[in-house]
Amino acid sequence: MAALGVAVAAVSTAAILVRWSRAPSSVAAFYRVLFTLALIAPFALGDHSGEFRQLSRRDAGAAVVAGVALALHFASWFESLSWTSVAASTTLVQTQPVFVAVGAALVLGEYVDRRVVLGIGVALCGAVVMSLADPEASVAVAGEARIGNALAVVGAAAGAAYFLAGRSIRQRVTVFPYVTVVYAACAATLLVVVLARGQPLFAYPPREWLLFLGLAVGPGLFGHTVVNWALEHVRSTVASVALLGEPVGATLLALLLLSEVPTTVTLAGGGVVIAGIYLTSTARRRPDAGGAAASSDGESGARPDDRSS
């Protein structure tokens, strides 16, 4: 539980670091993933090199798909922070469990109980409230906020696709070979996006490189990597609910470090969204055909789910 507290504090800094960066959002996303990969790969290829043999071609292909989805998650969420508030962006991107529940029902045919349906409905109502810009804001500002909110929701949906794509793999393959392939595919996809947009890769001052490294070490290693470790000791539903502290922490940091005061509409909608995510994440699932109970956020069988995004 102490580790989860550290992880929540670390991931809460992501939005602030992105806001501080003056680099294009796709460049910041690329270097976050690349530097995280550079920090993990030596350990994965060294002490865990034998575990890569467990990765079949089919699983490797699915991991690549998951990496592409993760790239879309980062690209859309980082970009959303250029258009809307930290509070709105971090809250809406945390609706990932809602999209996981919907995707699991539609794609995997999993049973969804009434609590999950209620949670999805509540979260959607909160998202609608947050899409209503501050009534005192100008039309231009309101339009920008809606674009940012929509991008954050796209980031949540892409994050859910990343999770669903790699869900079955994590039942057979340990975390290090999986995240190594995922991060490599994610970094390659983001590199293509950066080059396609004609954005510079190297012409940045030392301050930007420190921010890129901070994104990798803070939210990357001490955030989601610590969550992965904690999932071996606590239920994934506990971790999922704990991660709802990210929008709260990010909003407080934005208030202190960016002087960004959330509007009443944002706070009200954010509270409703968090309540919906809580209902969805803590709902119980009916055991599957193999007898392994699956929780609403993807825990299945003996191996914990991966949250390395």
Side-chain angles (χ1 to χ4, degrees), residues 98-146:
V98 173
F99 287 98
V100 169
V102 173
L106 296 179
V107 179
L108 304 179
E110 291 188 358
Y111 168 78
V112 179
D113 66 15
R114 285 177 293 181
R115 184 185 177 96
V116 173
V117 175
L118 176 62
I120 292 172
V122 170
L124 289 176
C125 289
V128 170
V129 172
M130 295 187 77
S131 69
L132 303 175
D134 185 354
E136 297 181 359
S138 65
V139 175
V141 172
E144 290 183 356
R146 291 192 183 99

